Amino acid sequence: MRTGVIGASGYTGGDLVRLLLFHPKAELTCVTSRQFSGKYLSSVHPNLRGITQIKFEEFNVNKISDRCDYIFLGVPHRASMNIVPQLLETGVKIIDLSADFRIKNLETYEYYYGKHEHPELLGKSIYGISELHKEEIKKANLVSCPGCLASSAILGAAPMIGSGAVDLERIVIDSKVGSSASGREFSLSTHHPERANIVRPYKATNHRHTAEMEQELSEVAGKQVKIAFSAHAVDMVRGILTTIHLFLEKELTEKEVWGLFREFYNDEPFIRIIKQKTGIYRLPDPKVIVGTNYCDIGFEIDEHMPRVVVLSALDNLIKGAAGQAVQCMNLMEGIDETTGLKFPGIHPY
Ligand SMILES: NC(=O)c1ccc[n+]([C@@H]2O[C@H](COP(=O)([O-])OP(=O)(O)OC[C@H]3O[C@@H](n4cnc5c(N)ncnc54)[C@H](OP(=O)(O)O)[C@@H]3O)[C@@H](O)[C@H]2O)c1
């Protein structure tokens, strides 16, 4: 597969190129950047020194699409919406990491992100969460990968949503996320003296990812679900820990909850159910999954206030972005979805 990355100078772009360079069935044929055109990829991503001689180039739809079978977009929302239609016309397969084509409902998109220039494409993209939309992704020309917080929330909540035991109008989700989730562009809030040593409630209400969580979990439930979501920035570079409070309308035993998770994820290669009785890593922990395409999910049942507390941990730049995107490409190509992605993290980290 000949692959290209638009916005390759960014953080998701960096992990995309890293994964594609070591993917046994992929070749990285072009990487674009407006700021670094003509410079070596390793001048921005120093971890790639000595590994590739590829240089950044300016985005030019014809030059790029001629050399690619798959193009990934690691650019901000609103930038993608004008690039994707041009690429679609060339017949190349597109995997977009931005939010521009995730939300199917135009009004909802515009509430969170502003005016959409190509609403006709909203219904044409497939939401790129492999565990929920595998068969559709296999046939897709345009895949829109989930947001990183949404990935952890949806993967954690989905198995119990259809159980009939959960109050679907009162789902409470709370995420803690590392600094790389806000990308490579800096601002005062990401400046080290302001960002270090924090547990900052940067979006206690009205977070944009609420829209995609509700969209996807409503589809799983077969009816509209309502989510109260809050996000906190914490002192990590990579990783997300999401805590999901599912209030129970009928009693569930631990064995039954295990059964729901096992049945929903069956043989999913990148979902690990973590619930140990002893040790310091009894439940999902971002420290364990950093650098991997795994999403670790675990739970506890609270008898005091009948609820299941689900914990979900993933690396925002891999399972929450670049890894998930490569997993989608594998599915679109009809090869084993784990190709180029099956490696553990580092321990200790
Ligand atoms: N960071 C995460 O954890 C994460 C997870 C899931 C999804 N995402 C989504 O993935 C996308 C990329 O995120 P990121 O964190 O990689 O951002 P980033 O580090 O800021 O990188 C984005 C890159 O896009 C290019 N760019 C910026 N504005 C552009 C424009 N108007 N037109 C064309 N290119 C432009 C920039 O490269 P040049 O200036 O060099 O051209 C920049 O390096 C975003 O849509 C984000 O929401 C991010």
Side-chain angles (χ1 to χ4, degrees):
M1 293 171 278
R2 298 168 309 154
T3 62
V5 178
I6 299 177
S9 63
Y11 285 159
T12 59
D15 256 356
L16 278 167
V17 296
R18 186 175 65 88
L19 293 173
L20 292 169
L21 283 166
F22 287 90
H23 190 293
K25 307 267 185 205
E27 183 194 356
L28 184 65
T29 56
C30 67
V31 290
T32 81
S33 159
R34 300 160 313 163
Q35 294 180 68
F36 302 101
S37 174
K39 298 222 163 81
Y40 286 111
L41 192 57
S42 57
S43 66
V44 175
H45 301 300
N47 55 330
L48 301 178
R49 283 178 186 143
I51 287 168
T52 175
Q53 290 301 306
I54 196 167
K55 288 180 175 173
F56 292 107
E57 60 188 275
E58 286 281 351
F59 171 71
N60 174 314
V61 66
N62 295 322
K63 277 197 193 158
I64 288 171
S65 54
D66 277 356
R67 285 181 284 144
C68 295
D69 304 305
Y70 291 89
I71 293 186
F72 297 84
L73 284 94
V75 300
H77 62 270
R78 305 205 61 76
S80 250
M81 92 172 56
N82 291 312
I83 301 173
V84 165
Q86 301 176 52
L87 290 172
L88 267 180
E89 281 191 12
T90 68
V92 71
K93 295 200 175 186
I94 303 164
I95 303 169
D96 180 19
L97 276 71
S98 89
D100 279 349
F101 299 96
R102 289 179 200 155
I103 315 286
K104 308 293 172 217
N105 182 293
L106 178 61
E107 206 179 310
T108 309
Y109 178 90
E110 293 191 337
Y111 171 79
Y112 285 104
Y113 297 96
K115 187 167 165 42
H116 204 297
E117 306 292 339
H118 290 278
E120 74 283 1
L121 293 179
L122 285 183
K124 300 220 165 114
S125 76
I126 301 299
Y127 192 76
I129 202 156
S130 316
E131 291 74 10
L132 261 57
H133 296 294
K134 214 180 284 296
E135 296 309 313
E136 297 155 272
I137 293 169
K138 285 181 186 168
K139 292 180 241 147
N141 291 328
L142 170 59
V143 165
S144 187
C145 285
C148 51
L149 295 166
S151 299
S152 67
I154 293 166
L155 288 170
M160 292 208 55
I161 289 295
S163 66
V166 171
D167 181 349
L168 296 176
E169 298 199 343
R170 198 166 55 114
I171 297 170
V172 179
I173 303 183
D174 173 298
S175 289
K176 284 107 190 155
V177 60
S179 57
S180 61
S182 53
R184 152 174 219 283
E185 290 299 309
F186 47 82
S187 64
L188 183 58
S189 67
T190 61
H191 184 45
H192 184 263
E194 309 293 345
R195 183 67 176 71
N197 306 326
I198 59 163
V199 182
R200 179 179 299 150
Y202 78 93
K203 205 73 185 151
T205 61
N206 213 34
H207 194 290
R208 288 166 166 164
H209 288 187
T210 310
E212 50 192 288
M213 291 177 200
E214 288 188 345
Q215 170 181 289
E216 294 302 307
L217 293 175
S218 297
E219 201 178 316
V220 175
K223 64 194 258 202
Q224 185 63 43
V225 306
K226 219 139 182 226
I227 293 170
F229 177 57
S230 301
H232 306 265
V234 296
D235 196 11
M236 305 189 288
V237 174
R238 281 174 185 253
I240 293 174
L241 179 69
T242 293
T243 310
I244 304 162
H245 305 264
L246 298 167
F247 296 97
L248 292 174
E249 290 181 329
K250 75 173 213 229
E251 219 175 283
L252 281 180
T253 63
E254 189 162 306
K255 201 170 161 205
E256 285 169 327
V257 178
W258 263 111
L260 289 169
F261 278 92
R262 283 224 179 92
E263 192 187 345
F264 197 88
Y265 286 125
N266 198 9
D267 291 329
E268 281 299 336
F270 293 113
I271 306 291
R272 302 187 298 197
I273 309 299
I274 310 295
K275 185 169 169 50
Q276 289 174 205
K277 289 203 165 60
T278 55
I280 52 173
Y281 295 108
R282 289 182 304 109
L283 286 165
D285 188 325
K287 191 173 166 78
V288 174
I289 48 69
V290 160
T292 79
N293 196 48
Y294 290 102
C295 176
D296 283 358
I297 300 173
F299 67 89
E300 275 190 9
I301 298 178
D302 182 4
E303 280 164 14
H304 172 69
M305 170 122 186
R307 65 184 168 134
V308 177
V309 181
V310 181
L311 289 314
S312 165
L314 52 74
D315 183 323
N316 54 295
L317 290 175
I318 307 188
K319 185 58 175 161
Q324 176 109 276
V326 170
Q327 197 178 342
C328 288
M329 176 187 74
N330 291 341
L331 288 169
M332 292 158 92
E333 184 66 12
I335 62 174
D336 181 341
E337 69 187 289
T338 67
T339 312
L341 292 170
K342 200 98 184 162
F343 45 81
I346 47 174
H347 178 81
Y349 156 74

